[in-house]
Amino acid sequence: MPARTERTPRPARPSLYISVDIEADGPIPGPYSMISFGAAVAGRQDGASYTAADPESRTFYRELRPISGQYVPEALAVSGLDRERLLREGAEPAAAMAEFRTWVREVSAEAGAQPVMCGYPAAFDWTFLYWYLMSFGGESPFGHSGCLDMKTLYATKAGVPLRAAVKGRMPRELLSARRHTHHALDDAVEQAELMSNLMLWTPGTPGTPGTPAAPGGAGGRVIGS
């Protein structure tokens, strides 16, 4: 009987992490609307190597026409957007999703990488984003599962329960210096910086974000996940 030959696994394709933030006028898509969303390229991972991008260099932003008459006033107020103006001037969701798909594919092709959406927390933003992509065009450039949750990433690296993975408990050096404004593009850029800091963070290694430098020396940043 001939000996079995071990198959060499194909090398994994690099990933391009795209930070996405959405603003909505209610808790779930369909009955309620995504009224704006922003995206910023955070960085590229190739194997164990991660390269941070300038989060302001490749961005996308749209404000959308609401798709239903229902809304939660408190949720709408968070974004500061005028719903009546959005009904008149907001982009049609189908057109905005088509433009977003094109943008994601362009930045991913430039990077030679597969796109991965990242969010903080991803569960809320991904729910709206994926629903809109599939409802208005039937296609997601991220597939059905190409998303990464920054809360889970931090909890895993820090060794803390997921419910303890909140910005108020993170080392200050991991956080962006930018304000969280609830403008979708501002927050996507802010969270792109958090994503890169998390990817470059090795807990317990002097000189990495979130870890105090050892006495007598600054240490170097470790590039890797």
Side-chain angles (χ1 to χ4, degrees):
M1 184 175 179
R4 293 181 63 183
T5 56
E6 294 291 331
R7 289 187 178 181
T8 303
R10 294 181 183 177
R13 289 182 61 190
S15 291
L16 185 73
Y17 294 103
I18 299 173
S19 170
V20 177
D21 184 83
I22 76 101
E23 298 296 328
D25 62 11
I28 56 173
Y32 303 98
S33 306
M34 179 167 74
I35 52 177
S36 68
F37 71 109
V41 172
R44 182 181 186 272
Q45 182 182 13
D46 189 357
S49 177
Y50 179 84
T51 304
D54 173 358
E56 293 185 312
S57 67
R58 300 294 274 156
T59 62
F60 185 95
Y61 177 72
R62 291 292 185 277
E63 295 178 358
L64 306 178
R65 179 183 58 78
I67 60 172
S68 83
Q70 296 186 63
Y71 67 96
V72 177
E74 294 82 3
L76 179 64
V78 169
S79 70
L81 294 173
D82 183 329
R83 197 169 193 276
E84 292 303 316
R85 181 182 66 80
L86 293 176
L87 286 167
R88 297 190 308 270
E89 303 173 7
E92 290 295 326
M97 293 301 107
E99 292 165 354
F100 182 60
R101 287 186 199 93
T102 297
W103 179 83
V104 170
R105 292 189 176 112
E106 286 176 352
V107 296
S108 300
E110 289 172 6
Q114 291 180 303
V116 176
M117 177 269 192
C118 57
Y120 182 93
F124 180 77
D125 300 271
W126 176 253
T127 296
F128 274 88
L129 182 67
Y130 184 70
W131 189 92
Y132 265 72
L133 285 167
M134 298 308 293
S135 297
F136 300 101
E139 188 181 2
S140 165
F142 305 104
H144 69 277
S145 61
C147 65
L148 184 150
D149 176 41
M150 291 183 224
K151 288 173 68 72
T152 304
L153 178 60
Y154 173 74
T156 302
K157 284 196 160 192
V160 300
L162 184 63
R163 292 289 191 176
V166 295
K167 290 180 181 178
R169 294 188 178 187
M170 291 182 184
R172 186 174 299 175
E173 295 83 355
L174 286 178
L175 303 177
S176 170
R178 303 171 192 268
R179 290 178 56 242
H180 194 80
T181 65
H182 291 289
H183 182 285
L185 182 55
D186 288 350
D187 293 352
V189 170
E190 176 221 341
Q191 288 162 188
E193 291 186 338
L194 173 62
M195 176 66 185
S196 289
N197 288 342
L198 286 169
M199 290 295 286
L200 293 166
W201 183 43
T202 304
T205 301
T208 60
T211 305
R221 292 186 76 180
V222 175
I223 296 180
S225 57

